[in-house]
Amino acid sequence: MSVNIDLAFDVTGVADEPQAWAVVRALTQLMYEECIENQVTLGVAVDDDGAYFVSGESDFPLCVSRSYLWRPAFEKSFAATVAAVAPDARPVVRWGFPDEEQ
């Protein structure tokens, strides 16, 4: 059975702008491998304290089969991808379920 899922994420604690863009490149590759590269927008921003961070979200709900298996595997891959280029960064993935929200 498939469900619609909203995906959003933040990666904080990156060292600087070049490292933030390295995270974007790595996550872009992950999105490609997951076949959602055309459905997720991501980029770099600066918070009020001048710290760089990466954020992203699905442009519309993702239709995912067996999401109970896919989500944990995706979160693990997401964390490993970030850690490979920014070991001190803090990745957070958030899920939304638009069909359940009223």
Side-chain angles (χ1 to χ4, degrees):
M1 182 168 127
S2 298
V3 297
N4 291 321
I5 299 174
D6 289 323
L7 165 64
F9 55 83
D10 297 304
V11 180
T12 58
V14 296
D16 51 23
E17 185 178 14
Q19 188 177 63
W21 285 111
V23 170
V24 167
R25 287 188 297 277
L27 290 176
T28 298
Q29 179 62 33
L30 175 63
M31 300 307 157
Y32 176 79
E33 292 167 4
E34 293 291 336
C35 298
I36 58 174
E37 72 276 10
N38 294 323
Q39 301 170 35
V40 177
T41 301
L42 59 156
V44 173
V46 181
D47 68 16
D48 292 337
D49 296 325
Y52 286 89
F53 67 96
V54 175
S55 64
E57 63 185 359
S58 54
D59 299 328
F60 45 84
L62 306 173
C63 183
V64 179
S65 297
R66 299 176 67 174
S67 67
Y68 63 93
L69 296 174
W70 181 78
R71 285 184 297 129
F74 178 83
E75 289 175 2
K76 184 177 180 180
S77 295
F78 188 92
T81 298
V82 171
V85 294
D88 295 328
R90 296 174 298 282
V92 175
V93 175
R94 295 178 307 283
W95 303 104
F97 302 93
D99 293 340
E100 296 175 7
E101 298 168 0
Q102 308 232 355

